[in-house]
Amino acid sequence: MQEKTKTRKQTGTFLIEGKRELELALKGGYQLQTVLFCPELIAIEKLPKIDAAVELIEISKEVYQKLAYRDTTEGLIGIAISRSLLLSDLKLPQNPLILVAESPEKPGNIGAMLRTADAAGIDAVIIADPKTDLYNPNVVRSSVGGLFTNQIATGTSEEVIAYLQQNNIAIYGATLQDSTPYFIPNYQEPTALAVGTEATGLTQIWRDNTKQNIIIPMQGTLDSMNVSVAAAILLFEAKRQRNFK
């Protein structure tokens, strides 16, 4: 996997499987370099509308099955040019709502958070101190296109905190320490909701730089929940307070 990540970084490209995902990538402004298609699985007239400059290559079913991560991607694989994902590239409205995830490792959790962010219609997702390549095929797959429908940026925790502070965006950190129930604070101001890993939660640098630490009260025996579920609860509470605008 590290070798594949290294290759993606060296080439500046990544793979996208499936017609819907390719269409969302194009809609999100991603540039395709090459499209591979299997005519046994998808007719050429059903391909997404792609620029004439994009190389179109016909492949056999056997070749497709060796390349594809999934069996349900309709015989279509795109090679896309990755983005830098810089904080400075974010275009935020006057009163943004942002999700920050510190050091998420599992591609499935990252993908689920991107789906949730899209469902909630928030303004950006920032990954602080990323441990996983966002263009990992499992992130692309599990986000079901959410990688392309959200504004996304990455940076170190120090960079992300400085960016939020410079833009007067209040940070609310989901953590056990010195916390208030998540439904108490007012999220109608410019807000960043920060979540950490399921194992250790937010690190000290985040806990020291929040406006308020928040907690989701647990009613059962276990003392934690999946990070993507926690993010969903927090985001939709913020959206409720904002009347889902």
Side-chain angles (χ1 to χ4, degrees):
M1 185 61 71
Q2 285 183 340
E3 192 63 33
K4 292 179 181 179
T5 298
K6 183 179 179 181
T7 300
R8 283 194 294 271
K9 289 181 178 179
Q10 286 177 340
T11 63
T13 61
F14 67 103
L15 297 182
I16 306 172
E17 293 184 35
K19 182 179 179 181
R20 183 170 180 269
E21 285 84 349
L22 278 171
E23 288 174 339
L24 289 171
L26 290 168
K27 186 177 179 181
Y30 276 82
Q31 183 180 346
L32 294 179
Q33 192 177 78
T34 306
V35 171
L36 311 174
F37 79 101
C38 175
E40 296 176 65
L41 299 173
I42 185 169
I44 191 168
E45 60 269 17
K46 292 191 175 181
L47 296 179
K49 293 181 180 179
I50 57 177
D51 190 274
V54 177
E55 184 180 20
L56 189 61
I57 300 176
E58 183 178 316
I59 58 175
S60 68
K61 190 174 182 180
E62 290 72 25
V63 171
Y64 166 74
Q65 288 174 336
K66 289 181 179 179
L67 293 174
Y69 275 74
R70 293 183 282 164
D71 297 325
T72 57
T73 47
E74 306 133 334
L76 195 59
I77 299 173
I79 301 175
I81 297 173
S82 55
R83 291 179 174 172
S84 57
L85 305 177
L86 297 174
L87 289 164
S88 57
D89 290 337
L90 292 177
K91 295 178 175 59
L92 300 179
Q94 187 173 3
N95 186 22
L97 175 60
I98 297 170
L99 173 65
V100 177
E102 184 192 18
S103 302
E105 293 189 53
K106 297 178 182 178
N109 282 340
I110 298 171
M113 284 190 282
L114 292 174
R115 292 177 69 181
T116 296
D118 177 87
I122 68 169
D123 300 300
V125 177
I126 300 176
I127 308 296
D129 297 322
K131 301 297 184 187
T132 300
D133 177 11
L134 286 186
Y135 293 116
N136 179 313
N138 290 318
V139 174
V140 179
R141 175 187 59 78
S142 60
S143 76
V144 196
L147 180 66
F148 313 121
T149 61
N150 291 287
Q151 283 202 92
I152 305 172
T154 63
T156 66
S157 286
E158 290 83 356
E159 290 169 343
V160 176
I161 290 168
Y163 173 84
L164 296 172
Q165 291 175 341
Q166 288 164 8
N167 287 277
N168 298 312
I169 299 170
I171 302 170
Y172 295 88
T175 186
L176 297 174
Q177 294 85 0
D178 302 318
S179 299
T180 190
Y182 73 97
F183 48 80
I184 300 296
N186 179 3
Y187 305 123
Q188 297 182 62
E189 62 181 350
T191 294
L193 296 167
V195 295
T197 64
E198 292 168 32
T200 59
L202 287 171
T203 57
Q204 192 66 44
I205 187 173
W206 283 96
R207 297 200 298 268
D208 289 344
N209 283 280
T210 59
K211 178 175 182 178
Q212 175 66 59
N213 290 331
I214 53 177
I215 189 171
I216 300 172
M218 306 294 287
Q219 304 296 305
T221 303
L222 304 179
D223 61 359
S224 68
M225 65 175 65
N226 179 275
V227 65
S228 64
V229 174
I233 292 170
L234 300 179
L235 289 176
F236 276 93
E237 169 59 20
K239 293 294 288 190
R240 183 195 68 79
Q241 291 187 15
R242 293 170 174 229
N243 297 315
F244 290 92
K245 293 179 180 177

